[in-house]
Amino acid sequence: AAASSLTESTVTVEGQSLFYREARPQQAPRLNVLLLHGIRFSSDTWLQLRTLALLADAGHRAVAIDLPGKAWPRAREPLALRPAPGAFLKAVVEALGLAPAVLVSPSLSGMYSLPFLFQHGHLLKAYVPVAPICTEKFEAEQYARVETPTLIVYGDQDVELGQVSLSNLRHLARHQVLVLQGAGHACYLDKPEEWHRGLLAFLQQLE
């Protein structure tokens, strides 16, 4: 029998049907990991990259969702999101029974994960931002008040978002930094082995 099982399903959150993929270990999970995605990606990214399987093999419950309105016209539409992004993510975490969750948030999904971090941080076990957008919308003092353990990830070739997000996120009280050498904006795709090694090592510290 496989060490983990992979399922696909939908869950209704705030009146929207959300598709998600889930990998579960055979035993009771050590941690619950929720994977978001960037603008050109979906939950399928984490399936193809084997992130879901590797997390489950390491004993964690891993869930990757498709954010609503995936074919975003250049990210204009989500700014008018109903409900608010932070509240929406809270509803997702509760609907899927993921609290406390480790939240992995690349790129565009920062518009969801950052409000969630500040408004509903008690539902988070840890935060793994991967060069997310919207980091400049919050003050250094706001970041400094957040107690959530954070692994800041970016590729050293990501000259725009990588540097901007790092300069803002480094104000978080409890953070570590993982730089993927030779990797661009979607650094986990460029350096999957280093990404998985760093993520799994971070999760191990949390247990």
Side-chain angles (χ1 to χ4, degrees):
S4 57
S5 62
L6 189 74
T7 55
E8 298 180 356
S9 190
T10 56
V11 62
T12 302
V13 178
E14 308 275 357
Q16 301 192 59
S17 180
L18 279 196
F19 176 82
Y20 69 94
R21 292 177 161 91
E22 175 170 1
R24 278 181 179 263
Q26 282 184 318
Q27 69 279 34
R30 295 164 149 184
L31 297 168
N32 296 326
V33 183
L34 175 59
L35 298 138
L36 305 181
H37 61 79
I39 191 163
R40 295 189 310 280
F41 304 104
S42 70
S43 61
D44 188 56
T45 304
W46 304 117
L47 178 69
Q48 302 301 333
L49 204 61
R50 296 202 64 249
T51 305
L52 286 167
L54 289 166
L55 284 167
D57 289 346
H60 308 300
R61 178 187 172 200
V63 177
I65 65 166
D66 282 354
L67 290 166
K70 250 189 350 98
W72 291 324
R74 279 275 158 248
R76 276 198 292 274
E77 184 198 329
L79 302 178
L81 272 178
R82 303 283 180 269
F88 174 78
L89 215 46
K90 175 177 185 278
V92 169
V93 167
E94 289 171 346
L96 292 170
L98 291 170
V102 177
L103 184 61
V104 177
S105 174
S107 194
L108 189 88
S109 66
M111 67 166 54
Y112 290 88
S113 66
L114 286 160
F116 180 75
L117 175 71
F118 290 109
Q119 296 159 9
H120 309 292
H122 61 286
L123 297 176
L124 281 179
K125 176 86 175 173
Y127 182 44
V128 184
V130 187
I133 66 168
C134 297
T135 57
E136 72 289 340
K137 294 186 175 177
F138 304 91
E139 304 293 326
E141 296 73 38
Q142 286 175 281
Y143 283 110
R145 286 198 293 269
V146 173
E147 288 295 315
T148 307
T150 301
L151 178 66
I152 302 167
V153 185
Y154 71 100
D156 70 345
Q157 304 299 306
D158 183 5
V159 286
E160 290 179 38
L161 271 170
Q163 296 304 323
V164 170
S165 58
L166 175 68
S167 66
N168 294 312
L169 293 167
R170 64 184 172 77
H171 296 293
L172 287 165
R174 299 171 62 190
H175 77 268
Q176 303 169 40
V177 179
L178 172 63
V179 187
L180 299 182
Q181 302 295 335
H185 182 53
C187 56
Y188 43 88
L189 291 183
D190 292 340
K191 298 286 178 176
E193 285 183 19
E194 290 89 336
W195 154 248
H196 288 135
R197 198 180 311 130
L199 176 62
L200 290 170
F202 176 68
L203 296 181
Q204 210 167 3
Q205 297 169 16
L206 296 172
E207 292 179 53

